[in-house]
Amino acid sequence: MTAKLSPAAGQYYSSSPYREAFDITYPQENLEGEMYQYRCKFCKIITTDINGRLENHAADCEYRLSRAQ
């Protein structure tokens, strides 16, 4: 038996409220010496601390400031 997906399944994160609530489009870089840890290229905060939230970037983060406009 094959599972059938809802027509809206591909739009889950692009629909409200997820579009504004969860953001992982910021530039990331690998944490030196760590295979699976990444951080924001601009504010250097680890992605697991950011947790997909714009407000978890540093207050002076270039990415956060550009998205707040």
Side-chain angles (χ1 to χ4, degrees):
M1 186 167 152
T2 305
K4 292 186 180 185
L5 294 176
S6 162
Q11 298 176 1
Y12 183 75
Y13 285 115
S14 63
S15 63
S16 192
Y18 305 105
R19 181 180 39 209
E20 290 82 25
F22 191 74
D23 181 12
I24 57 169
T25 60
Y26 57 92
Q28 299 177 21
E29 60 187 14
N30 189 263
L31 196 58
E32 191 173 325
E34 298 292 331
M35 188 176 289
Y36 301 110
Q37 284 196 332
Y38 293 86
R39 63 184 178 185
C40 173
K41 179 180 176 182
F42 299 111
C43 65
K44 309 299 185 199
I45 294 179
I46 297 174
T47 57
T48 54
D49 292 338
I50 293 172
N51 199 27
R53 304 292 301 187
L54 188 60
E55 63 269 13
N56 290 343
H57 285 266
D60 62 346
C61 177
E62 184 179 329
Y63 177 78
R64 179 179 178 173
L65 295 173
S66 71
R67 294 284 293 172
Q69 295 177 2

